[in-house]
Amino acid sequence: MAGGGGGGAPAKNDDFHPHPVKEQLPGIEYCVTSPPQWPEAVILGFQHYLVMLGTTVLIPSIIVPQMGGGDEEKARVIQTLLFVAGVNTLLQSFFGTRLPAVIGGSFTFILPTVAIVLANRYSMIVDPHERFLRTMRGIQGALISASLFQIVIGFLGFWRNVVRFLSPLSAVPLVTLAGLGLYQFGFPQLAKCVEIGLPALVMLVLVSQYLPRTIMLKRAIFDRFAVLITVAIIWVYAHILTAGGAYKNKSPTTQFSCRTDRSGLLTAAPWIRVPYPFQWGAPTFEVGEAFAMMAASFAALIESTGTFIAISRYGSATPIPPSVLSRGVGWQGIGILLDGIFGTVNGSTASVENAGLLALTRVGSRRVVQISAVFMLFFSVLGKFGALFASIPMPIVAALYCIFFAYVASAGIGLLQFCNLNSFRTKFILGFSLFMGLSVPQYFNEYVVISGHGPVHTRSSSFNVIVNVIFSSHATVAAIVAFTLDCTLYRSDSVVRKDCGLVWWDKFRYFKTDTRSEEFYSLPYNLNKYFPSI
């Protein structure tokens, strides 16, 4: 023992203190209900519009040529998809979850849509335009039927009864793979024109992450408007390469990916055109196709739930009450109904890329997203102007995806702060669900590439599509595995409920009885008022 001198300094406390749990994400400069000033909000809204154009253009570019449509039909479908996305975004922000969520096209609906396009009853139609119209009407009928699934599940409260059992532990794989599950639309698309895509990715990282810390400004400019700066510079650079003849002797695939004048949208789009219901004719209905599209609707429902959770995090809101999630799903069903009525060839989900943009800009304001919806409506009517922005080469958009999808995935990983990571139950559920969410869809996709069809190959093509759609969705597989294990593996134990974070989430999801109240979106909460023990 040390001697007892009176002048000794007190021993330094080097104990490590973990970072505290944050029910609302700190560092967000504008939360759901606190909008920036109007000039800044308008520019940020335009930025959200630019980001959602990638999916809006890519999906019709994949499907419309298989339907027999040309550039004119593709331009009209893109206009329609853009118009309906604007309407659905406004409906979701005013009546649904009321989160800053952009509602746009979804890759999940591509598989059942292509199955309809390749159906035998359309193979004998010789005229391409007539085939386009007939297949479009079949897709419309399937979307209208599939919309009823989410409308019923959402508005009648069935989804509320499901997600109230969702804990932070089972939400981690769901949210994480809602972002990581779209990896094939990131670098693989970027690499189709690496001399454009890679500079876009590097510039976005430099402008958004390094410049704000190198050039200190009074106002946030580089990180907040990094997308506009990057797209403008790389788009000009791509146009210089195109005009200079860099792709003159390249393959058609390279020219389509790299050139700024190969989309065909600018010449095909009309100057002014307002999409209207049943513009392609009366929808046709087929039972098997309707059920196949319902399977895609189910997968999109799960993926959107994960995206909504990420959006609430980046909007600095507390965990979403189950009733609000259920209501949002119901309005998403209304969105799919509008997709079927107007004829967009695709169903709607919450946009993952726009959720990532919330994180990049640190602006989670609902008003900004509502302004972006106005841009969608405006440019969908003024076709030439909308087509100009829609002609941005896809590798540039894919570079943005590499950042945005990663942000959504990290929102899911961030939910681990509510869980006990020293529990072997937590480790098993987390690791197993993430692994299966990556491994099972990979098996299904590889099987299709090798055999030309999925592992389930019965005489019923609709049943085949149903199984393939569900098990090809990374987020859906991971969510089913994690949710099932978390609800059945000793959930009744009070220690387990604490380990999986359910006790913590329940404190914030259920203390308000009025689910339409703004309070659970407000920043900050006075926690001591409701829970003195916290």
Side-chain angles (χ1 to χ4, degrees), residues 82-114:
L82 192 60
F83 180 84
V84 175
V87 174
N88 287 336
T89 300
L90 290 176
L91 291 175
Q92 189 67 232
S93 66
F94 281 112
F95 307 110
T97 60
R98 308 198 71 195
L99 287 166
V102 172
I103 306 298
S106 170
F107 297 110
T108 306
F109 289 88
I110 290 180
L111 184 56
T113 301
V114 171

Side-chain angles (χ1 to χ4, degrees), residues 56 72-87 136 140 269-281 338-345 373-384 386:
T56 304
E72 183 177 349
E73 287 82 4
K74 182 172 72 172
R76 291 176 64 186
V77 170
I78 290 173
Q79 279 184 276
T80 304
L81 182 55
L82 192 60
F83 180 84
V84 175
V87 174
M136 174 64 82
Q140 286 183 262
W271 280 102
I272 298 177
R273 179 179 177 274
V274 180
Y276 55 90
F278 306 115
Q279 57 188 326
W280 316 107
L338 293 177
D339 290 326
I341 291 175
F342 280 85
T344 63
V345 310
V374 175
F375 277 114
M376 297 174 209
L377 296 173
F378 179 77
F379 285 117
S380 67
V381 174
L382 297 179
K384 291 291 186 184

